[in-house]
Amino acid sequence: MNQWVFILNNVVVCIFGGILSAVFCNTLNTRKNRWIFCGYIATLLLLQGGLYWIGEAEFLRRIYPLIMHLPLILILYFQTKKLLWSAIAVLFAYLCCQLRRYFALLIVAVISGGVMEQSVIELVLTLPLLLFLLRFVSPIVSDLTKHPVKMQWQFGIIPAMYYVFDYITVVYTDLLSSGAPVVIEFMPFVCCAAYLVFLSYNAIEERKRSRLQQVQKSLEIQLGQSVREIHALQESQALAKRYRHDLRHHLQYLSNCIENEQSEQAQAYIAGICREIEAQKVQQYCENEVGNLVLSAFMGRAKKEGIALKVRGMLPALIKLSDSDLCVLLSNALENAINACKPLVLTGRDCTIDVQFYMRESKFFLQIMNPCEGEVRFEKGIPVSGREGHGIGVQSICAIVQQYGGICSFLVQDGQFILRLSL
């Protein structure tokens, strides 16, 4: 009886691991592939049965990777043309086989059973566990095939290390059963190292995502302002076209004024036309296109909020800052200044945001002053806010300043919040 349970358990675990490997590779989605897989499993089971019946159970256990895992990798590669992922899928499936064994050992320890009970429990757990993995785990694992090879390597390292560890310490030697501390502590060490690597990788990815969000925000601001600039130019062009069309009427009117010696009326008429033309001109704050777009955008926003925006400075067309970094710097600083002024405007207070910038000896200098009320909380010289969603702008400014090796300062003086930076 024990022998038949052992044989059945080996057959079941072979099918269990094979199905998981194939599903992880998405190879059971066609009838042809399913037939190939069934033929492969049947061939391997016959081979294993032959080796077992001739009395080579231990030999079969030692060459199991060659007669089961390696052929499975090759058949999956034949179907998917992805050698790396075929190997990772088999390693994932092998790792999942450990779940049946551990749960069975846990139950046996509780009921004080033996090897026979363990094999029976493993058989009972196989189908529920397989259904669970197919339903909840396999979609996640199979989606990894869409990721770059570098990421596939990262997810395959742990299963590969466990595979090597299990065969070296259990199958080919008895190191694990000997109780050597270096062996017992190896997998906890792997878990700790993997966790530290995951933390580092996650931190790097988070910085990349934050950087992409900053760039996206700057591009959205540039796009919005560019659309407004285009509309302003279109309106200006339409007005110029209208003036060209009406030019003969203006000249006729001025000619009549001159003939009738009405010079003052002619001068007033000319001044009125000049004011209308000047009002349609697109405002230019500096020679730098990105800086001009951002300042123009926030000039309009400040005006709608009843806030005066005073801009002074010279900024050449070409500076060492990238367009996205300059956009993020100005946008976040001006947005914070406008947000600080909004509550003051509601109380009837006049608010003016003073912006100064210039280039000197290839260094970019920026100072923005705005009125503020209440106490501003600082941590290590950086203003912080307890409100959700606030403080990201300051972090973006500090990150860019640090990237260019510059310096920045935030302070409150005489009711004015002052941002200064040099880079």
Side-chain angles (χ1 to χ4, degrees):
M1 181 65 180
N2 291 347
Q3 184 179 16
W4 286 106
V5 172
F6 175 76
I7 294 174
L8 182 59
N9 197 21
N10 282 342
V11 171
V12 169
V13 75
C14 176
I15 298 174
F16 177 87
I19 292 176
L20 282 181
S21 301
V23 172
F24 289 161
C25 288
N26 292 318
T27 59
L28 298 182
N29 51 359
T30 66
R31 185 176 180 180
K32 177 183 177 181
N33 286 345
R34 288 193 290 270
W35 277 109
I36 294 175
F37 173 77
C38 291
Y40 162 76
I41 293 295
T43 302
L44 288 182
L45 290 176
L46 290 173
L47 177 60
Q48 292 181 49
L51 291 174
Y52 181 80
W53 285 114
I54 63 176
E56 297 293 341
E58 183 61 27
F59 178 69
L60 172 64
R61 186 165 174 258
R62 289 178 175 273
I63 67 169
Y64 196 81
L66 296 178
I67 64 172
M68 179 63 186
H69 300 148
L70 182 59
L72 180 56
I73 292 173
L74 295 178
I75 199 68
L76 293 176
Y77 169 66
F78 172 75
Q79 293 177 325
T80 64
K81 307 303 179 184
K82 298 177 180 178
L83 182 59
L84 173 62
W85 183 251
S86 298
I88 292 176
V90 173
L91 294 173
F92 264 123
Y94 185 84
L95 187 62
C96 291
C97 291
Q98 171 64 18
L99 295 175
R100 341 172 26 252
R101 185 167 62 182
Y102 182 79
F103 286 143
L105 287 171
L106 182 63
I107 295 174
V108 167
V110 173
I111 65 175
S112 301
V115 177
M116 178 65 176
E117 288 77 6
Q118 178 183 340
S119 297
V120 173
I121 294 172
E122 286 182 6
L123 287 172
V124 173
L125 291 176
T126 299
L127 182 58
L129 182 59
L130 178 62
L131 294 177
F132 173 82
L133 293 172
L134 292 178
R135 175 64 177 84
F136 297 102
V137 178
S138 63
I140 301 173
V141 176
S142 58
D143 281 345
L144 294 175
T145 58
K146 304 174 184 177
H147 290 73
V149 173
K150 179 181 178 181
M151 183 170 291
Q152 294 181 21
W153 271 108
Q154 293 169 353
F155 282 97
I157 288 176
I158 297 299
M161 293 183 66
Y162 172 75
Y163 184 90
V164 174
F165 173 81
D166 195 41
Y167 268 89
I168 290 178
T169 60
V170 177
V171 178
Y172 299 131
T173 68
D174 60 350
L175 288 175
L176 189 60
S177 60
S178 68
V182 68
V183 178
I184 295 176
E185 297 296 330
F186 178 73
M187 287 312 295
F189 161 75
V190 170
C191 292
C192 179
Y195 181 70
L196 294 177
V197 171
F198 171 77
L199 286 179
S200 302
Y201 178 79
N202 187 67
I204 294 173
E205 291 298 313
E206 186 62 32
R207 284 195 292 268
K208 290 181 180 178
R209 283 193 293 269
S210 177
R211 180 64 178 166
L212 288 176
Q213 290 175 354
Q214 293 176 5
V215 173
Q216 181 182 7
K217 182 178 180 181
S218 68
L219 291 176
E220 289 174 353
I221 293 173
Q222 293 182 51
L223 177 61
Q225 185 56 25
S226 297
V227 171
R228 285 189 287 270
E229 291 275 3
I230 291 172
H231 289 165
L233 290 171
Q234 290 174 339
E235 292 176 1
S236 179
Q237 186 179 22
L239 183 62
K241 183 178 180 180
R242 192 183 73 189
Y243 276 121
R244 286 196 302 270
H245 178 268
D246 296 337
L247 182 59
R248 64 179 184 276
H249 303 298
H250 297 312
L251 293 177
Q252 182 64 42
Y253 177 80
L254 293 174
S255 177
N256 292 335
C257 290
I258 293 173
E259 288 179 358
N260 295 323
E261 297 182 356
Q262 297 175 339
S263 59
E264 293 183 1
Q265 188 172 351
Q267 290 291 343
Y269 187 79
I270 293 172
I273 294 175
C274 290
R275 283 193 299 270
E276 291 183 20
I277 295 175
E278 186 67 23
Q280 299 300 321
K281 185 177 68 174
V282 177
Q283 187 68 36
Q284 297 290 326
Y285 299 97
C286 61
E287 297 179 5
N288 187 276
E289 182 179 1
V290 173
N292 190 67
L293 290 174
V294 175
L295 291 170
S296 298
F298 281 91
M299 181 68 73
R301 288 180 56 178
K303 187 176 181 181
K304 289 180 181 179
E305 298 291 343
I307 303 170
L309 185 59
K310 184 179 180 181
V311 180
R312 294 177 293 169
M314 297 288 294
L315 196 61
L318 298 177
I319 59 175
K320 69 176 183 178
L321 272 76
S322 67
D323 291 347
S324 60
D325 288 337
L326 177 61
C327 184
V328 170
L329 277 178
L330 291 176
S331 299
N332 284 304
L334 291 172
E335 186 171 20
N336 290 343
I338 290 177
N339 289 335
C341 291
K342 284 181 181 180
L344 303 180
V345 173
L346 295 177
T347 63
R349 179 175 171 180
D350 294 332
C351 294
T352 300
I353 300 175
D354 185 75
V355 181
Q356 300 181 50
F357 53 86
Y358 58 90
M359 293 289 297
R360 181 176 297 172
E361 297 179 356
S362 300
K363 286 186 174 293
F364 172 68
F365 296 90
L366 173 67
Q367 175 179 285
I368 297 181
M369 299 175 55
N370 62 271
C372 63
E373 66 174 1
E375 182 180 357
V376 179
R377 187 162 59 93
F378 289 85
E379 290 184 3
K380 298 180 180 181
I382 306 298
V384 295
S385 174
R387 292 181 294 174
E388 185 177 356
H390 291 264
I392 299 177
V394 173
Q395 295 174 13
S396 299
I397 293 173
C398 293
I400 293 176
V401 171
Q402 183 179 7
Q403 175 186 344
Y404 286 88
I407 56 174
C408 65
S409 64
F410 305 86
L411 69 148
V412 177
Q413 185 177 3
D414 298 330
Q416 295 282 326
F417 184 88
I418 305 174
L419 161 65
R420 295 191 182 104
L421 62 86
S422 170
L423 47 89

